[in-house]
Amino acid sequence: MIDFTEEQIKRYSRHILLQDVGVEGQEKIMNARVLVVGAGGLGAPVSLYLAAAGIGTIGIVDADVVDLSNLQRQVIHFTKDVGVPKVKSAKEKIEAINPDVKVDTYFEFLDSSNALDIIRQYDFIVDGTDNFPVKFLINDACVMAEKPFSHGGILRFNGQTFTHLPGTACYRCMFKEPPPAGAVPTCSQAGVLGAIAGMLGTIQAAETLKYFTGVGELLTNRLLTFDAKTMLFRTVTVKHRDSCPICGSSPTIDHLIDYEQAACDLKSH
Amino acid sequence: MAKIIVNGETQEVLLPLNLTELIKQNDVSQPDMVSVQVNDDFVDRAEWDGLQIKEGDIVDFLYFMGGGM
């Protein structure tokens, strides 16, 4: 049992007041270790809310530096941070919001060589990446390491997310393999309304906090999609697929795969 | 005419109709970017041509969404 300081009781009072969270739930949050992959549009709101909530340790993976074009949506980075590694900029803001939080930074790309080693150190993983190779890599590594994760994707005015726990539907149950390279617009080509990243990222942060506190029902076996143009939200029930190549009854994938990045994505870097 | 539900909305379609044709009718501009569930089961791309739509089918198109940064 953590001995809360008076300052912590005050800081987390709005959580502690919630019957479903309370002191016990807040303690679970403070003992939690979360990995956020990507300190961008989704990673920014996720990290800010998890920091404010008092997550014990937040790991952040990102190999990029802050670019002026990021600031329209990546709200953890400020104008003065242009040119600074995103992990450094994010760590600075998290520590400013909440000095209780320990931040681990990984100034590198997540790939098949480091994914399992990094992911194994955390209790919950948040996918805030912008490309299919890494989205599939996170899925496969989490299934292999039996780690829960939150998937997130945004495009133009739309977003989608689901939460995976061992045994529930994974990304490959829904989408067997990455779409053909080049067929895929990402934010850098297609554009995205900045606030969409906040809408989806805060859902991912809420799912993370629900996971640790055990509150409510997670978005497992359900894919939530929304269209901000109409503000219609829809939840599609998805089933764990027995023939899934990674989490099915006879998986065909036994190692992590580094898919080719679509050529058009490479040009944008 | 048969009534089916596509992405939560009722549609009236003329049978016979296979899944590939239904995808085309729904103006899915990039079929490579969609994963399809019929009556809660995912249908592999290779089986789209052979799957005949029938009255009461519930069809969901799930789109790849790759952004995040």
Side-chain angles (χ1 to χ4, degrees):
Chain A
M1 177 88 192
I2 296 177
D3 280 326
F4 285 80
T5 63
E6 260 181 57
E7 195 187 311
Q8 286 172 327
I9 289 174
K10 193 163 189 189
R11 178 186 284 269
Y12 304 120
S13 60
R14 300 305 188 275
H15 273 168
I16 294 170
L17 279 169
L18 286 169
Q19 218 167 36
D20 288 328
V21 179
V23 176
E24 298 77 17
Q26 185 59 40
E27 187 178 353
K28 287 174 187 161
I29 293 171
M30 289 159 76
N31 286 327
R33 298 176 54 84
V34 178
L35 182 71
V36 180
V37 186
L42 299 175
V46 169
S47 304
L48 291 172
Y49 274 100
L50 294 185
I55 289 281
T57 303
I58 300 177
I60 306 175
V61 190
D62 202 305
D64 278 336
V65 297
V66 178
D67 185 83
L68 190 59
S69 67
N70 300 150
L71 302 183
Q72 162 259 16
R73 65 198 177 284
Q74 302 181 10
V75 292
I76 203 165
H77 309 302
F78 300 168
T79 305
K80 70 168 176 67
D81 299 316
V82 170
V84 171
K86 287 185 178 177
V87 289
K88 184 169 181 279
S89 160
K91 181 182 161 91
E92 189 186 297
K93 309 317 180 322
I94 290 171
E95 289 172 345
I97 289 170
N98 191 344
D100 283 352
V101 180
K102 182 178 173 289
V103 185
D104 303 332
T105 58
Y106 302 88
F107 185 39
E108 57 194 300
F109 289 107
L110 197 74
D111 61 26
S112 64
S113 71
N114 60 9
L116 281 169
D117 284 345
I118 296 175
I119 282 172
R120 284 208 175 102
Q121 300 172 50
Y122 295 88
D123 306 318
F124 191 92
I125 290 79
V126 180
D127 175 356
T129 64
D130 64 351
N131 65 83
F132 292 107
V134 185
K135 287 189 188 299
F136 277 87
L137 181 78
I138 291 170
N139 180 75
D140 294 357
C142 287
V143 170
M144 284 178 182
E146 298 184 329
K147 295 287 185 184
F149 70 93
S150 166
H151 169 91
I154 49 174
L155 193 66
R156 299 190 183 99
F157 293 87
N158 300 83
Q160 70 181 19
T161 179
F162 71 91
T163 301
H164 169 82
L165 299 184
T168 69
C170 81
Y171 194 42
R172 280 193 195 271
C173 289
M174 302 173 215
F175 301 98
K176 245 172 138 180
E177 53 192 15
V184 191
T186 63
C187 289
S188 55
Q189 305 135 10
V192 63
L193 190 73
I196 301 298
M199 289 174 69
L200 197 85
T202 50
I203 293 173
Q204 291 186 285
E207 286 286 288
T208 308
L209 295 172
K210 280 167 59 188
Y211 171 77
F212 287 108
T213 55
V215 175
E217 288 162 38
L218 292 167
L219 269 175
T220 48
N221 295 322
R222 291 185 290 157
L223 179 72
L224 171 71
T225 63
F226 67 80
D227 178 350
K229 282 186 178 171
T230 53
M231 278 300 168
L232 290 175
F233 284 63
R234 200 167 109 74
T235 311
V236 183
T237 302
V238 286
K239 272 203 306 206
H240 163 71
R241 199 190 320 208
D242 191 55
S243 64
C244 175
I246 183 89
C247 75
S249 54
S250 34
T252 52
I253 297 170
D254 59 1
H255 64 281
L256 295 178
I257 304 164
D258 291 310
Y259 287 102
E260 289 280 312
Q261 183 97 330
C264 47
D265 286 343
L266 290 174
K267 271 185 230 151
S268 71
H269 284 293
Chain B
M1 292 293 258
K3 273 191 186 162
I4 61 170
I5 296 173
V6 178
N7 291 346
E9 287 178 13
T10 304
Q11 284 188 6
E12 292 205 335
V13 293
L14 278 172
L15 301 185
L17 183 73
N18 69 33
L19 187 52
T20 304
E21 291 162 343
L22 179 72
I23 290 167
K24 202 176 283 176
Q25 277 185 18
N26 278 273
D27 295 326
V28 175
S29 56
Q30 284 183 292
D32 281 346
M33 296 296 291
V34 74
S35 181
V36 186
Q37 211 177 208
V38 179
N39 302 326
D40 285 344
D41 280 315
F42 283 98
V43 184
D44 278 343
R45 213 163 285 277
E47 293 162 20
W48 287 2
D49 282 346
L51 191 143
Q52 292 296 325
I53 298 296
K54 43 184 206 316
E55 171 83 29
D57 275 350
I58 298 171
V59 183
D60 284 299
F61 298 134
L62 308 184
Y63 291 88
F64 268 117
M65 225 171 269
M69 303 288 268

